[in-house]
Amino acid sequence: MTAYTATVTVRLKHGVLDPEAETTQQALERLGFELEDLRSADRFEIDIEAESAESAHERASEMAERLLANPTIHDYDVEVDER
Amino acid sequence: MTVSIIRFGGSNCDRDAERALEHLGIDAEIVWHEDGLPEETSGIVLPGGFSYGDYLRAGAMAARSPIMADVREAAAAGTPVLGVCNGAQIGCESGLTEGAFTTNESARFQCEHVYLRVERDDTPWTAAYDEGDVIEIPIAHGEGRYEIDDERLAELEDEDRVLFRYCDENGDTGPDVNPNGSKHNIAGVLGDRETVAVLMPHPERVTLPDVGPTDGQGVLRGFEAAENGA
């Protein structure tokens, strides 16, 4: 078994309105920053023991499917690194 | 007949729902989610509130608690299920109904009275109204914007599963009378069966005559109507 950290990033699907990101962008602009656009995402770092990086990836993906992301509005990606 | 009102950690409209149902003569009891669904359950309310502090997403945690497997099973067998506000979010998160309720377009918590247009009058929840009726019901949510992809939205509308839309006092819908940016002004939808419904507005808050208008009574009478096969 090897120790891995799986990083799951959950973001709104393209085209789904993100009022929190818009509000954040407006606040940055009020502070004088110039920016084109701003997107926000949730990032989960999950420490797991697994036989292989593939197996760690599979488990983290299932976590994303079943809880961390809502497939109606979210896309997600998973990255796995040895820890 | 006893309606079970499922209390999760952070539910706060459970007692309102109980009082409103009792006022209508519908027997109801609050059930702590860890105690499981009582056998005599003849209807289920998923009440409003902030279950699990809205951690992760509103309704996400409660939707995955063990009692929800029983609720889904009961719903599939025809037991009437009504999700209100946080209960609507739980309903969508658990797959009882399609779509998702997410952050209001305004990014603010909104607490106000709104008008709803009744889209169908042949469901238990709307049997007390006529199609096209306009009812006044309060909302109180930060995450009530109904989201669903366009293809599934078209299917939902083709299947006539939209129950209520936000509208003005004359029943006209449109972006100006959409409090939270919901797709097509949708405020409430039906599940696979007409006995399963969720809505963001609070019918239990407009049921007792001593606190104001009573337009919400008809929705709660859905439990009686379902029993009588309406």
Side-chain angles (χ1 to χ4, degrees):
Chain A
M1 298 291 264
T2 313
Y4 294 98
T5 296
T7 303
V8 179
T9 306
V10 177
R11 53 174 65 83
L12 286 169
K13 281 181 178 168
H14 185 70
V16 175
L17 186 72
D18 188 347
E20 290 179 5
E22 281 181 16
T23 306
T24 308
Q25 177 172 349
Q26 285 162 15
L28 285 170
E29 286 165 348
R30 268 202 305 277
L31 290 172
F33 292 103
E34 287 182 21
L35 61 160
E36 291 293 309
D37 196 13
L38 180 151
R39 291 168 294 283
S40 65
D42 288 328
R43 171 184 160 122
F44 303 88
E45 295 173 4
I46 307 164
D47 294 343
I48 42 182
E49 300 269 330
E51 298 283 353
S52 63
E54 289 72 34
S55 156
H57 192 283
E58 197 176 312
R59 272 164 59 195
S61 299
E62 196 183 344
M63 293 179 200
E65 289 282 336
R66 292 188 51 192
L67 175 66
L68 302 177
N70 179 337
T72 303
I73 51 174
H74 292 136
D75 286 326
Y76 68 89
D77 57 56
V78 179
E79 279 179 42
V80 171
D81 293 302
E82 270 191 49
R83 139 169 81 89
Chain B
M1 130 172 190
T2 302
V3 174
S4 294
I5 302 163
I6 315 290
R7 172 185 281 168
F8 298 98
S11 296
N12 65 11
C13 299
D14 43 353
R15 286 176 300 166
D16 302 44
E18 186 183 36
R19 281 189 68 178
L21 286 167
E22 298 284 359
H23 173 77
L24 298 176
I26 299 169
D27 189 34
E29 66 169 350
I30 294 172
V31 174
W32 176 239
H33 72 101
E34 287 181 350
D35 295 341
L37 201 59
E39 271 185 31
E40 66 275 18
T41 296
S42 62
I44 297 166
V45 173
L46 300 171
F50 298 87
S51 56
Y52 304 95
D54 283 350
Y55 288 174
L56 192 64
R57 299 177 299 275
M61 299 298 171
R64 286 155 183 86
S65 64
I67 198 171
M68 286 306 296
D70 297 344
V71 172
R72 278 194 297 271
E73 197 176 305
T79 302
V81 179
L82 179 68
V84 172
C85 197
N86 188 224
Q89 295 160 337
I90 295 168
C92 281
E93 278 281 343
S94 67
L96 279 170
T97 46
E98 288 206 57
F101 291 102
T102 187
T103 311
N104 291 349
E105 190 174 19
S106 66
R108 294 192 178 98
F109 190 91
Q110 285 173 249
C111 193
E112 59 201 68
H113 273 250
V114 298
Y115 294 106
L116 302 182
R117 189 175 73 195
V118 177
E119 298 294 287
R120 287 181 59 171
D121 58 15
D122 57 346
T123 79
W125 317 107
T126 52
Y129 312 108
D130 290 322
E131 188 177 318
D133 272 1
V134 175
I135 60 176
E136 188 185 340
I137 291 197
I139 55 167
H141 60 242
E143 285 144 317
R145 173 169 57 99
Y146 189 69
E147 271 293 341
I148 186 167
D149 70 49
D150 290 342
E151 197 177 316
R152 285 165 66 200
L153 174 60
E155 284 170 14
L156 196 75
E157 291 183 328
D158 282 351
E159 292 164 9
D160 217 4
R161 282 160 60 191
V162 177
L163 198 54
F164 299 109
R165 288 185 210 267
Y166 299 109
C167 65
D168 65 16
E169 57 192 338
N170 301 314
D172 293 324
T173 62
D176 295 347
V177 287
N178 190 342
N180 52 26
S182 289
K183 284 259 175 90
H184 291 194
N185 286 45
I186 290 173
V189 294
L190 294 169
D192 288 340
R193 305 178 68 126
E194 288 165 9
T195 43
V196 176
V198 301
L199 75 164
M200 286 309 298
H202 286 272
E204 78 282 7
R205 294 190 188 179
V206 277
T207 290
L208 302 176
D210 47 357
V211 289
T214 56
D215 286 3
Q217 289 188 358
V219 178
L220 299 182
R221 284 202 189 280
F223 288 106
E224 277 175 350
E227 183 102 329
N228 300 329

